[in-house]
């Protein structure tokens, strides 16, 4: 059997490695138009910022290493120009010599990855010497060299996704004034606006200029250098360096002529064995479409972790194995200066689009004991009200974010309900966690909201109800000093310790919202009122601290 793989980054090399582990009988050939193989795209910003000192550390393997270890022939700087499924042949061009050859295959794997989205205004400007993508090792080398030689003082980044934010951080660390231009109304479009806003505040704290709801309308260049960008907001931005990070799209150019089925995202549609609609042709990595573990619907989230997984599955299936793809949650994580930002599963806006009735908890807790340097985490977690199943979370904090998002992603993957999170036997010691870990509290509070009659109300819901003129009874249970400093509009001040004695001042039939600073004392007040026969009592999720921030978010849109 001859296996031919087109593409040699994460997915393609994973196919080859797994296939060879399963059998020594197959001939395995890989073609790639690039010079490098199996490199870390995600590490490029950190080389630019010199956290990674040598570019070679992002390219630990080459074709010779792969040949020696796996007996796989990798031909770099070879572009596959056409595929003929009927004859099971491909045409290959040697980019160094211009020579063209025809090769045969028994099984063909498409691992052509994704290509950068280029806003139309920049399409004719890519020949300029100071505009760059962040997609491969050549890009990394070019950006690093440009900064060293030209010492730019101002940079503009087009796009506020992972790469855009990572580049903003690294360029700022180098003392470069950074402006981010984002077409949408928030950074990190996968997150809910109220969580993305916290990331925006962190960027601004580090003097990153953010232009939302903005596009570039005109590029001014002199002698092959972009010197100015004019925007849809009638601004004129001087710049010495432009980074295009507006996202990627599946690189399906090669298969346009072979009638292969594409999914809703434009990526190649595959089944759980990574097989395409064309016999003997597989697709893996950023060119292939995945599906959601939660909804079963198609989902395109190009990440190296998913690419490696898909590659391993294809390599196993081709050589007689039984692996199948189980879908993804779209889990992601990024460092933005002093914050770690992570998400998994469905967001609130996703749930609304899917018609899922969700309980939403904002949990604001330290990641470890305060007396040993604990730092505040904000967890926004969602549970399906009909089943209690955890379906998504977004977490922001200075430390401890990574392990919490991984616990929740694992729980979602195994179909956990909110109560299951509370019962997890997580490791505890003061340097690592609190006795009631943020994960445990998230499970407890969400389970209470779904199953135990202590519902939550988000600040967004409260603000909308107030805007609609609904008659509400809002009780601030904090100290007088805290209440006077800031409070929820329309709230009356009744400290928790006085609540039982002042019940006669309240109307049991009115919809009531209790709150404290972050949520715990508000829940205690909620329980008192429910036990005393109050009809509808909600705890304000995340308390006054969360309310004030979300009020700011809503006023900015």
């Amino acid at each position: 059997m001859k296996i031919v793989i087109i593409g040699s980054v994460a997915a393609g090399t994973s196919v080859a490695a797994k296939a060879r582990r399963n059998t020594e009988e197959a001939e395995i050939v890989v073609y790639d138009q690039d010079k490098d193989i199996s490199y870390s795209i995600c590490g490029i910003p950190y080389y630019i910022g010199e956290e990674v000192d040598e570019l070679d550390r992002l390219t630990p393997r080459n074709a010779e290493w792969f040949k020696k270890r796996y007996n796989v022939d990798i031909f770099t700087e070879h572009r596959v120009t056409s595929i003929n499924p009927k004859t099971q042949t491909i045409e290959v061009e040697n980019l160094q010599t211009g020579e063209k050859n025809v090769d045969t295959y028994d099984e063909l794997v498409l691992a052509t990855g994704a290509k950068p989205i280029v806003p139309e205004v920049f399409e004719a400007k890519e020949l300029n010497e100071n505009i760059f993508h962040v997609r491969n090792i050549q890009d990394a080398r070019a950006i690093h060299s440009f900064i060293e030689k030209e010492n730019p003082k101002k940079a503009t980044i087009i796009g506020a996704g992972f790469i855009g934010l990572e580049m903003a951080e690294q360029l700022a660390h180098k003392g470069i004034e950074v402006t981010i231009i984002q077409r949408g109304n928030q950074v990190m479009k996968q997150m809910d606006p109220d969580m993305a806003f916290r990331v925006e505040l962190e960027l601004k704290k580090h003097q990153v200029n953010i232009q939302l709801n903005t596009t570039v309308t005109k590029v001014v260049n002199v002698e092959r250098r972009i010197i100015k960008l004019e925007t849809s907001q009638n601004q004129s931005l001087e710049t010495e360096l432009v980074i295009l990070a507006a996202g990627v799209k599946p690189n399906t150019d090669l298969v346009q002529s072979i009638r292969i089925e594409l999914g809703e995202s434009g990526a190649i549609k595959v089944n759980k064995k990574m097989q395409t609609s064309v016999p003997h042709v597989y697709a893996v990595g950023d060119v292939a479409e995945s599906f959601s573990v939660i909804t079963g619907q198609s989902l395109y989230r190009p990440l190296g972790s998913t690419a490696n997984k898909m590659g391993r599955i294809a390599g196993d299936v081709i050589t007689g194995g039984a692996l199948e793809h189980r879908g993804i949650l779209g889990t992601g994580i990024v460092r933005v200066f002093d914050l770690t930002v992570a998400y998994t599963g469905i967001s609130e806006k996703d749930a609304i689009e899917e018609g899922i009735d969700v309980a939403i908890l904002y949990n604001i807790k330290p990641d470890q004991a305060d007396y040993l340097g604990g730092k505040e985490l904000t967890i926004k977690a969602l549970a399906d009200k009909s089943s209690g199943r955890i379906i998504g979370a977004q977490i922001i904090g200075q430390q401890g974010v990574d392990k919490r998002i991984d616990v929740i992603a694992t729980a979602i993957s195994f179909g956990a309900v909110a109560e299951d999170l509370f019962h997890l036997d997580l490791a505890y010691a003061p340097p690592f966690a609190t006795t009631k870990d943020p994960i445990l509290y998230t499970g407890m509070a969400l389970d209470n909201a779904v199953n135990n009659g202590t519902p939550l109300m988000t600040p967004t819901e409260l603000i909308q109800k107030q805007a609609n003129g609904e008659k509400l009874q809002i009780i601030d249970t904090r100290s007088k000093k805290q209440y006077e400093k800031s409070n929820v509009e329309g709230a009356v001040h009744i400290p928790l310790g006085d609540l039982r004695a002042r019940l006669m001042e309240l109307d049991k039939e009115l919809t009531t919202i209790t709150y404290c600073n972050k949520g715990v004392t508000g829940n205690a007040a909620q329980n008192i009122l429910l036990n005393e026969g109050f009809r509808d009592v909600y705890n304000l999720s995340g308390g006054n601290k969360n309310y004030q921030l979300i009020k700011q978010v809503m006023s900015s849109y």
Side-chain angles (χ1 to χ4, degrees):
M1 176 171 59
K2 184 175 183 179
I3 304 168
V4 174
I5 302 162
I6 306 173
S8 67
V9 190
T13 52
S14 292
V15 176
K18 180 57 179 173
R20 179 58 75 218
R21 288 188 183 100
N22 282 7
T23 178
E24 288 293 321
E25 301 301 318
E27 178 185 357
I28 305 174
V29 178
V30 182
Y31 292 105
D32 198 300
Q33 63 185 12
D34 207 343
K35 295 181 179 181
D36 304 283
I37 73 165
S38 194
Y39 52 84
S40 172
I41 295 174
C42 300
I44 291 174
Y46 305 103
Y47 171 68
I48 303 302
E50 299 183 351
E51 286 192 47
V52 177
D53 55 357
E54 296 290 339
L55 189 56
D56 289 347
R57 297 184 68 183
L58 303 184
T59 57
R61 300 165 186 163
N62 57 26
E64 291 74 19
W65 181 92
F66 235 83
K67 177 65 176 177
K68 185 175 182 180
R69 184 178 181 91
Y70 292 110
N71 191 24
V72 170
D73 294 309
I74 298 182
F75 296 92
T76 57
E77 297 186 86
H78 281 67
R79 178 186 291 128
V80 176
T81 56
S82 66
I83 302 169
N84 189 330
K86 291 183 180 179
T87 59
Q88 293 185 213
T89 58
I90 58 173
E91 186 177 89
V92 185
E93 179 185 3
N94 184 326
L95 297 179
Q96 291 182 317
T97 66
E99 180 184 2
K100 295 183 179 181
N101 293 300
V102 174
D103 200 357
T104 61
Y105 66 84
D106 293 305
E107 306 294 338
L108 179 68
V109 183
L110 304 171
T112 50
K115 57 184 179 181
I117 295 170
V118 181
E120 186 177 353
V121 71
F122 290 105
E123 287 180 351
K125 305 297 179 183
E126 288 199 73
L127 294 178
N128 283 281
E129 297 173 350
N130 61 338
I131 183 169
F132 302 95
H133 295 293
V134 188
R135 290 298 300 166
N136 56 39
I137 297 302
Q138 285 73 42
D139 293 333
R141 188 176 288 113
I143 298 169
H144 191 274
S145 176
F146 179 86
I147 292 174
E148 279 197 334
K149 291 178 181 178
E150 304 297 335
N151 191 27
K153 299 296 188 291
K154 293 183 178 183
T156 305
I157 298 172
I158 312 300
F162 276 19
I163 292 294
L165 297 186
E166 288 165 347
M167 286 298 296
E169 177 197 68
Q170 295 299 311
L171 293 178
H173 285 334
K174 294 182 74 67
I176 299 172
E177 182 183 324
V178 178
T179 296
I180 296 176
I181 295 178
Q182 170 72 352
R183 177 187 295 271
N185 63 358
Q186 66 176 70
V187 301
M188 298 192 72
K189 66 179 182 180
Q190 290 89 353
M191 301 189 76
D192 287 320
D194 56 322
M195 296 297 281
F197 186 72
R198 300 164 207 256
V199 182
E200 184 182 336
L201 293 177
E202 179 71 8
L203 290 163
K204 289 179 177 178
K205 187 176 82 172
H206 290 271
Q207 287 74 54
V208 174
N209 178 27
I210 303 170
Q211 302 292 323
L212 300 176
N213 299 305
T214 303
T215 58
V216 176
T217 56
K218 184 179 179 181
V219 174
V220 179
N221 60 314
V222 175
E223 296 180 353
R224 298 188 64 187
R225 291 284 179 94
I226 295 174
I227 63 169
K228 189 179 297 183
L229 301 173
E230 296 182 6
T231 77
S232 57
Q233 302 294 335
N234 297 317
Q235 294 175 308
S236 183
L237 303 173
E238 293 182 359
T239 190
E240 298 166 72
L241 169 63
V242 177
I243 301 293
L244 294 181
V248 298
K249 56 185 176 181
N251 186 11
T252 59
D253 294 349
L254 182 60
V255 300
Q256 296 299 321
S257 62
I258 66 171
R259 296 183 179 179
I260 202 166
E261 187 177 356
L262 303 181
E264 293 178 9
S265 65
I268 297 173
K269 189 173 184 178
V270 293
N271 62 18
K272 292 182 179 181
K273 295 183 178 294
M274 313 316 301
Q275 296 163 322
T276 73
S277 60
V278 177
H280 304 289
V281 178
Y282 297 72
V284 295
D286 293 356
V287 76
E289 189 172 76
S290 190
F291 64 93
S292 167
V293 171
I294 297 167
T295 68
Q297 301 298 313
S298 60
L299 182 62
Y300 182 67
R301 293 284 175 82
L303 289 170
S305 53
T306 302
N308 273 291
K309 193 181 302 179
M310 286 180 161
R312 178 179 173 83
I313 292 166
D316 186 64
V317 170
I318 290 170
T319 51
L323 284 179
E324 288 190 347
H325 187 40
R326 297 183 180 182
I328 61 173
L329 293 172
T331 306
I333 190 167
V334 63
R335 187 186 71 196
V336 183
F337 294 102
D338 298 327
L339 291 182
T340 303
V341 184
Y343 55 80
T344 190
I346 286 179
S347 66
E348 180 183 0
K349 57 186 177 183
D350 292 334
I352 292 170
E353 290 176 4
E354 294 287 339
I356 301 173
D357 187 16
V358 289
I360 301 171
L361 170 72
Y362 293 89
N363 179 16
I364 304 173
K365 292 284 187 298
D367 70 305
Q368 61 192 56
D370 287 323
Y371 52 83
L372 284 176
K375 302 291 185 181
E376 191 172 87
L377 293 173
T378 299
I379 300 177
K380 180 179 182 179
L382 284 70
D384 185 339
K385 286 184 179 178
S386 65
S387 64
R389 184 183 177 190
I390 301 293
I391 59 172
Q394 298 163 54
I395 309 179
I396 295 176
Q398 293 186 38
Q399 57 193 31
V401 172
D402 51 348
K403 73 174 183 178
R404 270 76 184 199
I405 203 69
D406 283 342
V407 168
I408 294 178
T410 302
I412 295 173
S413 296
F414 288 100
V417 296
E419 185 183 4
D420 293 330
L421 290 183
F422 169 71
H423 288 290
L424 291 175
D425 187 13
L426 301 178
Y428 163 67
F432 307 105
T434 55
T435 51
K436 191 183 291 181
D437 189 90
I439 291 292
L440 305 183
Y441 186 87
T442 295
M444 179 186 71
L446 270 179
D447 180 54
N448 285 340
V450 172
N451 296 316
N452 297 325
T454 51
L456 297 163
M457 183 175 290
T458 68
T460 301
E461 291 171 325
L462 175 55
I463 292 167
Q464 289 173 343
K465 286 179 180 295
Q466 290 176 319
N468 292 335
E470 292 189 35
K471 193 171 183 181
L472 303 170
Q473 187 168 240
I474 306 171
I475 304 171
D476 188 315
T477 66
R478 302 172 299 158
S479 69
K480 182 179 180 181
K481 183 178 179 180
Q482 288 176 313
Y483 173 77
E484 290 176 346
K485 184 176 181 180
S486 73
N487 56 71
V488 173
E489 182 180 345
V492 295
H493 180 232
I494 305 178
L496 180 64
D498 299 339
L499 184 59
R500 291 180 178 87
R502 296 177 60 181
L503 291 176
M504 297 301 294
E505 299 175 23
L506 303 173
D507 186 342
K508 291 185 176 182
E509 299 304 312
L510 270 183
T511 298
T512 302
I513 298 96
T514 60
Y515 74 90
C516 56
N517 197 40
K518 298 178 184 178
V520 176
T521 303
N523 175 245
Q526 178 187 30
N527 284 319
I528 291 172
L529 297 180
L530 288 170
N531 289 336
E532 290 290 340
F534 281 68
R535 188 166 57 88
D536 293 317
V537 186
Y538 297 83
N539 184 24
L540 182 62
S541 192
N544 182 66
K545 183 170 186 176
N546 193 42
Y547 170 87
Q548 297 299 337
L549 187 141
I550 292 180
K551 185 178 179 181
Q552 187 179 353
V553 175
M554 295 180 72
S555 65
S556 67
Y557 287 109

